[in-house]
Amino acid sequence: MDRSSPVPLYFQLSQQLESAIEKGRLAPGSLLGNEIELAGRLGLSRPTVRQAIQSLVDKGLLVRRRGVGTQVVHSQVKRPLELSSLYDDLEAAGQRPATRVLLNTTEPATAEVAAALGIAEGTEVVVIERLRLAHGEPMAHLSNRLPAGLLKLDSAELEDTGLYRLMRAAGITLHSARQAVGARAATADEGKQLGEPEGAPLLTMERTTFDDTGRAVEFGSHTYRASRYAFEFQLLVRP
């Protein structure tokens, strides 16, 4: 703690605890101990510790349980809006990503997929559906369509790493993307899959990715748990 800083001590403590949760040093289920123990160990007053903990309770990162103490619930992943994969972002945040491949097949392109990829409707495309987890908890359902013949995608490899890494390893240079972000309520099946109640808010994202030649190489339609996930924007003033 920097006691000479104008930043309040409770806020410094809450930021340090939040960082530890986001990077996995404080895993879901971890106990923080009681306020008296924490205050003594950190050399802070009990009200300062209480205020720091309450701010994280209000964010949904901690929960107070009678007879148990203050416990880590989960962290919320904040993903910058840039051309990166969820796998890489989770790994960079220390979230221990894991993947469960639900589907890896081919099918005729629908009108929506064909328009996104710039191909004729009915053309065969590769279909990949995955459940992405962090610290063993579901985070997102990922559905991707790729032009057939673009690259060979083995389910075992998809469970070991991210799709964009496999594309780059195959010599595909990802250059740009067109993306739309939205939100809606979870269906019963989506809630069961993602560990949320039916009607819980989900973030949605559709992205068409292009290589350095301007060719569309991927169309993704993804859903994320709003309780665990947020998009971050950096806004600049237009000159």
Side-chain angles (χ1 to χ4, degrees):
M1 299 295 163
D2 184 358
R3 296 178 185 275
S4 64
S5 171
V7 178
L9 290 175
Y10 88 87
F11 188 77
Q12 292 185 48
L13 176 57
S14 70
Q15 290 293 96
Q16 290 184 22
L17 290 172
E18 184 171 352
S19 176
I21 293 169
E22 288 182 348
K23 293 178 179 178
R25 293 196 297 270
L26 285 173
S30 301
L31 290 172
L32 287 188
N34 62 47
E35 293 170 0
I36 297 175
E37 291 173 352
L38 279 173
R41 191 161 74 243
L42 299 172
L44 299 171
S45 69
R46 188 175 176 186
T48 295
V49 172
R50 182 185 301 120
Q51 193 172 2
I53 289 175
Q54 186 59 49
S55 70
L56 297 182
V57 170
D58 293 341
K59 286 185 176 183
L61 302 181
L62 300 177
V63 64
R64 301 179 193 270
R65 302 192 189 280
R66 187 179 299 276
V68 176
T70 303
Q71 194 170 26
V72 177
V73 182
H74 53 65
S75 62
Q76 185 181 57
V77 175
K78 297 177 181 178
R79 184 180 183 184
L81 279 182
E82 56 188 32
L83 189 49
S84 62
S85 72
L86 176 58
Y87 189 96
D88 290 342
D89 291 338
L90 289 172
E91 191 172 68
Q95 291 284 328
R96 296 203 302 271
T99 306
R100 190 179 305 153
V101 175
L102 307 175
L103 186 66
N104 184 0
T105 187
T106 60
E107 68 178 22
T110 63
E112 179 188 23
V113 172
L117 294 178
I119 57 178
E121 185 177 352
T123 303
E124 288 291 302
V125 292
V126 175
V127 180
I128 304 163
E129 293 196 9
R130 294 163 294 160
L131 189 65
R132 181 60 45 77
L133 304 97
H135 296 297
E137 267 194 87
M139 288 286 296
H141 178 270
L142 312 176
S143 179
N144 300 82
R145 271 51 174 182
L146 294 84
L150 184 70
L151 75 163
K152 182 176 174 59
L153 290 169
D154 180 75
S155 293
E157 289 182 322
L158 284 166
E159 293 195 342
D160 282 340
T161 189
L163 174 61
Y164 281 6
R165 287 189 185 181
L166 293 174
M167 294 174 76
R168 291 187 179 103
I172 299 166
T173 302
L174 304 178
H175 179 266
S176 60
R178 184 171 59 245
Q179 180 166 290
V181 177
R184 60 175 174 79
T187 65
D189 287 343
E190 288 172 331
K192 184 177 180 181
Q193 188 178 64
L194 293 172
E196 294 280 359
E198 181 179 0
L202 298 179
L203 293 173
T204 65
M205 186 267 281
E206 285 193 351
R207 173 190 283 179
T208 303
T209 305
F210 303 89
D211 68 8
D212 56 350
T213 70
R215 172 184 56 165
V217 293
E218 175 245 355
F219 173 65
S221 181
H222 306 159
T223 53
Y224 305 84
R225 297 172 65 183
S227 63
R228 298 293 314 275
Y229 195 86
F231 290 105
E232 271 195 345
F233 299 79
Q234 182 177 13
L235 305 178
L236 301 176
V237 175
R238 180 177 295 176

